[in-house]
Structures are given as C-alpha cells and as structure tokens.
Amino acid sequence: MSTVEPESSALLAPLRDVDPAALLALQTRLAAAAAEAGLLDLSYTTLDTPIGRLLLAATDQGLVRVAFDRENHDAVLEQLADKISPRILHSAVRLEAAVRQLDEYFAGRRRVFELPLDWRLAKGFRREVLAHLPEIAYGQTESYAQVAAAAGNPKAVRAVGTACGTNPLPVVVPCHRVVRSDGSFGGYLGGTEAKQILLTLEAAA
Amino acid sequence: MKPFEQLVTEHGAMVLRVCRAVLGPDEAEDAWSETFLAALKAYPELSEAANTEAWLVTIAHRKAIDVTRKRARNPLPMEELPERPSADPQETDQDLWNAVKALPDRQREAIAFHYLAGLPHREVAAITGSTPEAVRRAASDGIKNLRRAYLVPATPSVAPVPVPVGSVPASTSISVPKGEAR
C-alpha cells in the first residue's frame, strides 16, 4: 500500500464503501458465468458433519476430493490448484448432489453413494484398491489383508494401508470400512475418532 | 499457485471500488464480472512473481475502456443521475459520484488506481500508458477538483430551519437545495 494522506482518504471514504452482500452476489454470478464459459475447473464447498467440516471439491467430471478439517482446507485447495488447476471458485455448482447424499448418509438414511467421481487424484495400484472399497457393504468391514487380496496383490498389505491413508474421496469411497485383522480400527486420515463415528453410525443403521 | 478464489476474496472489493470510480456505480458490476472472468481465463499463465493487484487493475482498466467505447458507439440517452429526496443519507455520496464522474479520464483513473487500489504512481503509469510524474499530478489535481466540486458547495451548509413550536411535526426532513456540482 502506498502512503495516502489522511485528508484525501476522508474525502474518498464514501467511494470505499462496498456492501458485502453486493460483493457476495457478484461472486455467485461470477461462478455461474465461469461454469458457463467452461472456465470453472474446480468448484468447492464445505459441509458440517458429525466428523467435522468436510471440504468437497468437484471438476466437471465429478467429485474429485473430500477433505477433513484436520487436513487444513486452505492447504488442500492449494494442492488442488497445483495438481489440477488454479481455476478454483467457491461455489455449490456441481456439488448439490454430493451435499445432499452426504447429509442423508450422516442422518442414517443413505447406504450407497450415487455420485459421478473423478478419480484423477488416485493412480495405479492405489486406485485399484480404492475401486474395490465400495464393494465392502455398508456396516461391514474388511481387513487390510483381505482388501489386498481382493485388489489382486495379497502381499501388498502395506500398500493398501497407504492407499486408504491417501484416499482423495474418504467417506464416499469407504476406506473407513478397512480395519486391522485383529479387529482394531487402524489409522484414518480423518482421525481414529472419525473412523469410529462412521463405523458406529453404520452399525446402528 | 493460489486458488483463484483467494484472489476474488482478497481483491474483489478493491476491483469493485475501482470499477465504480472509473465507470460509475451502474456499470461497475458488469465491469467487475468481466474483469474477474477474463482474469480467471488468463490466471494459469500468470507469473508467480506478478503483482496480482496491478494485474487485476490492468484488466479492469481494459474492461472499462471497452465499456466506454461501447457506450460511445451506441449512444443510448444517458440518464442523468436521479434526483433524490434530500433526507436520503445517500445524497452526499451521490454528489461525490457526480463529482467523480465529471473529472477528466486521467484524473479519475489516477484517483481510482492510486488512491482506491493503492497502487504506486509508477504502476498506475504503466497501466494507463503515462508517466509517474503525470500520474502524480493527475491524482493531486483530481483530489483538488473533487474537493472543490464536492466539499465546497456542501460547506456553506443551510442553517437549520427553526421549527415553530406546536407546528405539525409531520416531517423533519427539510428540503435542502442541492449545491451545484460544478
């Protein structure tokens, strides 16, 4: 900021007034225009849930990222800007179905997600592991070893752990249903407590 | 690279102020939208080292020129700014808007880009194709003109009209003659 003498500052003060509501309306309009012009590479929104605030991001192909609060949403957005595109706007465009289905899931009224998913953030074997996860039924669990076998590589138990730990679409792609062979929860990107909440929710429904 | 949303959050209000000052409140919102849409399009190619504020103001400046040219080509009868009832708290702002609108382009731009966007004279000169010295002069002349047109007529304020006791207390809003904006 350059130095501005206070006198002109006072004179120009009325020109500085910007109504936050007007600005918000402009931002909403920008997101719509950007989507229409094919310039909205990523839109995101946040959703409050029993496991904390989730960030949901989508490309024009589908939901591409679900992030926990503890991942730091700002950091996640920067990663998305680097990996996919910096053309990111806060906008519920494309995320209405995801928000609705997650609300239903957390209310115990939905067992299966029916959403277009963009898998571009998961590659190779990790992606194969993640692709298997929706086959674990709601309310059921599998061990890391079972998942490794199902993904075609029984020895890759640790790789399954990594795949789950880097799942770009947690909750929707249910890595929380993968637990240790001894029945203990195992790790979870969203925290052990979140994993417990999800498994308890599914067991109760 | 920062997510574009962050630019909108950080600089959205600044760009709106600039568009309003250069184009007036009515056309500012369209110019704001076009500025950010054009910026969004070009954003992935923007150098990491670039000054985003100056970059956005540069785009806003071009959009304002587009709007002005379009206006010149289709000379729709420009409506004069509406007279408002004097009790309206917006009235002083309206006078200021009229005064800003009456400034020569260079002065209006210098005020918008230097005082409202906070860009140094050097940056403003680069954007408007001028020299820092000329920008400095235009900014200070602009302020002088605004003060003359806007502040001076308002200063000999109308003495409060005494309301006779017992008169109808219908309206306390007294019609005050507007100062000539020039």
Side-chain angles (χ1 to χ4, degrees):
Chain A
M1 274 291 155
S2 59
T3 51
V4 170
E5 58 271 38
E7 212 185 340
S8 9
S9 188
L11 174 69
L12 298 175
L15 299 180
R16 292 177 201 278
D17 278 350
V18 167
D19 176 11
L23 206 54
L24 199 64
L26 281 172
Q27 289 176 14
T28 306
R29 182 177 148 190
L30 173 66
E36 197 175 325
L39 293 172
L40 186 53
D41 294 341
L42 276 160
S43 55
Y44 75 91
T45 191
T46 55
L47 174 69
D48 286 318
T49 75
I51 56 169
R53 178 167 289 196
L54 297 180
L55 175 127
L56 312 175
T59 65
D60 58 354
Q61 314 201 355
L63 191 64
V64 73
R65 188 75 164 90
V66 175
F68 299 103
D69 220 353
R70 58 189 274 165
E71 290 182 81
N72 184 342
H73 291 172
D74 287 342
V76 169
L77 289 171
E78 293 222 8
Q79 288 160 13
L80 291 173
D82 289 336
K83 288 184 186 163
I84 299 178
S85 164
R87 287 186 184 134
I88 301 177
L89 287 175
H90 181 268
S91 152
V93 175
R94 300 179 188 143
L95 289 159
E96 280 159 23
V99 166
R100 183 169 28 90
Q101 292 190 19
L102 279 162
D103 275 339
E104 290 166 359
Y105 171 82
F106 283 109
R109 287 186 279 110
R110 172 171 289 274
R111 295 172 162 241
V112 177
F113 289 100
E114 294 153 308
L115 295 168
L117 301 181
D118 183 336
W119 286 98
R120 77 177 80 185
L121 294 175
K123 302 249 187 271
F125 183 68
R126 289 184 192 177
R127 176 158 170 183
E128 280 169 47
V129 169
L130 297 176
H132 166 70
L133 298 185
E135 291 167 24
I136 309 173
Y138 183 92
Q140 304 294 308
T141 58
E142 274 186 17
S143 70
Y144 290 96
Q146 282 173 303
V147 173
N153 190 348
K155 287 184 186 162
V157 178
R158 281 185 60 165
V160 168
T162 310
C164 290
T166 57
N167 176 10
L169 295 161
V171 184
V172 172
V173 173
C175 60
H176 57 275
R177 292 178 198 153
V178 184
V179 297
R180 292 219 181 102
S181 306
D182 65 6
S184 66
F185 287 140
Y188 192 55
L189 185 56
T192 318
E193 198 193 339
K195 191 168 187 171
Q196 188 169 1
I197 291 171
L198 293 173
L199 291 174
T200 308
L201 165 84
E202 295 191 5
Chain B
M1 205 163 202
K2 279 188 199 176
F4 190 78
E5 172 70 25
Q6 225 171 306
L7 268 64
V8 182
T9 313
E10 284 169 15
H11 306 304
M14 179 275 285
V15 171
L16 188 57
R17 279 180 209 119
V18 164
C19 291
R20 281 180 179 168
V22 175
L23 291 169
D26 294 341
E27 284 166 318
E29 298 203 343
D30 284 342
W32 186 95
S33 298
E34 287 183 29
T35 297
F36 274 105
L37 205 55
L40 178 63
K41 191 170 186 179
Y43 185 53
E45 281 80 50
L46 182 69
S47 144
E48 293 268 0
N51 172 349
T52 42
E53 272 166 308
W55 179 65
L56 287 169
V57 171
T58 306
I59 299 173
H61 179 237
R62 270 189 240 129
K63 292 295 167 196
I65 290 173
D66 288 351
V67 171
T68 316
R69 282 203 192 124
K70 218 177 283 171
R71 196 195 287 154
R73 235 178 292 132
N74 319 315
L76 292 172
M78 285 304 287
E79 277 175 54
E80 279 307 305
L81 290 159
E83 292 290 328
R84 289 167 190 255
S86 57
D88 191 331
Q90 293 272 304
E91 192 192 339
T92 49
D93 288 5
Q94 203 60 52
D95 286 347
L96 180 59
W97 284 119
N98 286 335
V100 170
K101 196 176 163 193
L103 289 177
D105 290 353
R106 291 285 180 185
Q107 293 179 15
R108 211 170 52 244
E109 286 168 0
I111 284 183
F113 303 162
H114 174 63
Y115 287 113
L116 298 180
L119 298 180
H121 295 126
R122 179 175 35 80
E123 302 257 18
V124 178
I127 292 168
T128 57
S130 177
T131 65
E133 198 32 59
V135 170
R136 184 189 308 276
R137 223 176 310 120
S140 103
D141 290 350
I143 291 287
K144 255 181 255 160
N145 281 334
L146 279 186
R147 192 166 286 135
R148 203 162 42 224
Y150 167 65
L151 283 189
V152 176
T155 327
S157 60
V158 181
V161 178
V163 180
V165 182
S167 71
V168 195
S171 164
T172 43
S173 71
I174 299 145
S175 182
V176 176
K178 273 184 74 173
E180 280 297 311
R182 213 161 277 240

